[in-house]
Amino acid sequence: HLFRSDYFVLICALGHIGESFQRGIITNHRCVSLDAHHVRISYCPGCKWMLRSAYYAQEILSTFDDGRISEVTLAPNFEPPGGEFIVSVDDTIVWNRREDNGFPGAAELKRRIRDIINPEASLGHSDKFNE
């Protein structure tokens, strides 16, 4: 059967990305690279940071809408001491609230993610803002 959990899944061709030809899958009629990245936002629910995490998730998904990111996971962390806010791409930490002294601006967070998943890509006005 081609249906699994209400997702239509087929092998597809993404076309040429750089010099390599990549395979992908179609989920909900959208082609996603099999090599797509996973973003995880781990946050402290006791600090009421779920809405902040959801805001960053929608910023990431709307900026990287080319199939290079397959998912953004919001992960509440109930472990003591609390106060955690960590954003990672494929297990590489791109932002840690404690080490980076607070929360990121959306543009800075997107630049750090871009530098991992596609360093040569432009972020448009987000890049120009920092120049």
Side-chain angles (χ1 to χ4, degrees), residues 20 22 28 46 50 52 58 67 72 77 86 113 117 125 129:
S20 64
Q22 297 188 359
N28 284 350
M50 183 181 66
R52 180 185 304 259
Q58 70 88 26
V72 176
N77 185 344
I86 296 173
I113 292 170
I117 68 171
H125 71 279
F129 180 74

Side-chain angles (χ1 to χ4, degrees), residues 6-26:
D6 297 325
Y7 289 96
F8 183 66
V9 179
L10 284 177
I11 298 298
C12 69
L14 286 177
H16 292 280
I17 297 177
E19 293 296 311
S20 64
F21 188 75
Q22 297 188 359
R23 290 179 37 217
I25 58 172
I26 297 174

Side-chain angles (χ1 to χ4, degrees), residues 57-110:
Q58 70 88 26
E59 282 289 320
I60 292 164
L61 289 170
S62 62
T63 298
F64 302 101
D65 61 353
D66 61 357
R68 290 182 190 272
I69 292 180
S70 63
E71 66 184 18
V72 176
T73 302
L74 300 183
N77 185 344
F78 296 96
E79 299 294 321
E84 178 175 286
F85 184 85
I86 296 173
V87 180
S88 58
V89 177
D90 301 330
D91 299 323
T92 299
I93 294 174
V94 295
W95 192 273
N96 183 329
R97 185 190 66 82
R98 287 192 178 106
E99 294 174 9
D100 292 301
N101 298 316
F103 294 97
E108 175 63 22
L109 182 59
K110 290 187 280 188

